[in-house]
Amino acid sequence: RGDGGTGFSRAWKMALWARLYDGDRANRIFKGYLKEQAYPQLFAKCYTPLQVDGSFGVTAGITEMLIQSHEGVIDLLPALPSEWENGSFKGVCARGAFEISMEWKNKTISDVSVLSRAGSICSINPGTKVNVTLDGRKIPVKVLDDGTIQFSTIPGKIYLFEAVK
């Protein structure tokens, strides 16, 4: 049916293309939403009435472009549009009771912090080699074949990632 539609329809399409790791297509849909389906305050419209599920859905679609955790691994920047070379976000919740804040430059992560809410094992794919620290000390991590790292966490503690150059 194409990339057009009302606010909710576009949000759904954004999220689906992000899940398929096509950030540029998701971004084109987002731009269409902004041009044709959003009020100046960025709320979604369904022709003329306000459509709250479209407003929340677009936010979820953007989040899917930047972080995904539905397959047991927190995947950072899985569907980053080529236009979004630099950026940041704070406080995005991921499965496993983790809160992620991140900054990227030149499409590569530069700073990541992971707040563990439950103290479970963290499985995360940073997309680059990193050192993980807790309270200023490097902690041991298990590196899997696909680049995913795993480490044990303590509830309430913040783990910092530093890219290895």
Side-chain angles (χ1 to χ4, degrees):
R1 293 186 152 219
D3 292 340
T6 60
F8 177 78
S9 175
R10 289 185 198 229
W12 183 246
K13 292 170 187 177
M14 279 177 63
L16 290 173
W17 284 108
R19 284 277 175 106
L20 293 171
Y21 306 109
D22 191 339
D24 288 326
R25 179 105 181 240
N27 190 37
R28 274 196 312 275
I29 296 167
F30 177 54
K31 286 179 172 182
Y33 163 82
L34 291 174
K35 184 177 179 184
E36 301 167 10
Q37 285 295 311
Y39 288 108
Q41 303 83 355
L42 301 182
F43 288 115
K45 54 183 167 180
C46 184
Y47 303 105
T48 53
L50 177 77
Q51 188 186 55
V52 73
D53 48 348
S55 302
F56 293 151
V58 166
T59 304
I62 292 168
T63 303
E64 286 290 314
M65 294 161 76
L66 301 176
I67 181 174
Q68 295 180 22
S69 61
H70 59 280
E71 297 202 16
V73 173
I74 300 168
D75 197 9
L76 302 178
L77 303 179
L80 184 70
S82 56
E83 290 183 349
W84 298 2
E85 290 184 20
N86 305 308
S88 65
F89 61 79
K90 293 182 181 183
V92 174
C93 295
R95 286 186 172 102
F98 297 105
E99 188 177 307
I100 313 294
S101 296
M102 185 171 83
E103 183 176 344
W104 65 94
K105 295 177 183 164
N106 298 318
K107 300 181 187 175
T108 304
I109 64 164
S110 54
D111 294 300
V112 177
S113 70
V114 177
L115 170 60
S116 176
R117 295 280 184 194
S120 57
I121 301 255
C122 182
S123 295
I124 190 165
N125 188 346
T128 189
K129 190 173 180 182
V130 296
N131 288 324
V132 182
T133 61
L134 171 64
D135 298 329
R137 292 186 299 269
K138 187 176 170 183
I139 64 165
V141 299
K142 179 181 179 182
V143 181
L144 305 181
D145 291 338
D146 67 354
T148 297
I149 59 173
Q150 294 179 330
F151 55 96
S152 297
T153 66
I154 300 167
K157 293 291 186 174
I158 297 174
Y159 298 82
L160 302 177
F161 289 34
E162 179 184 315
V164 177
K165 302 196 191 249

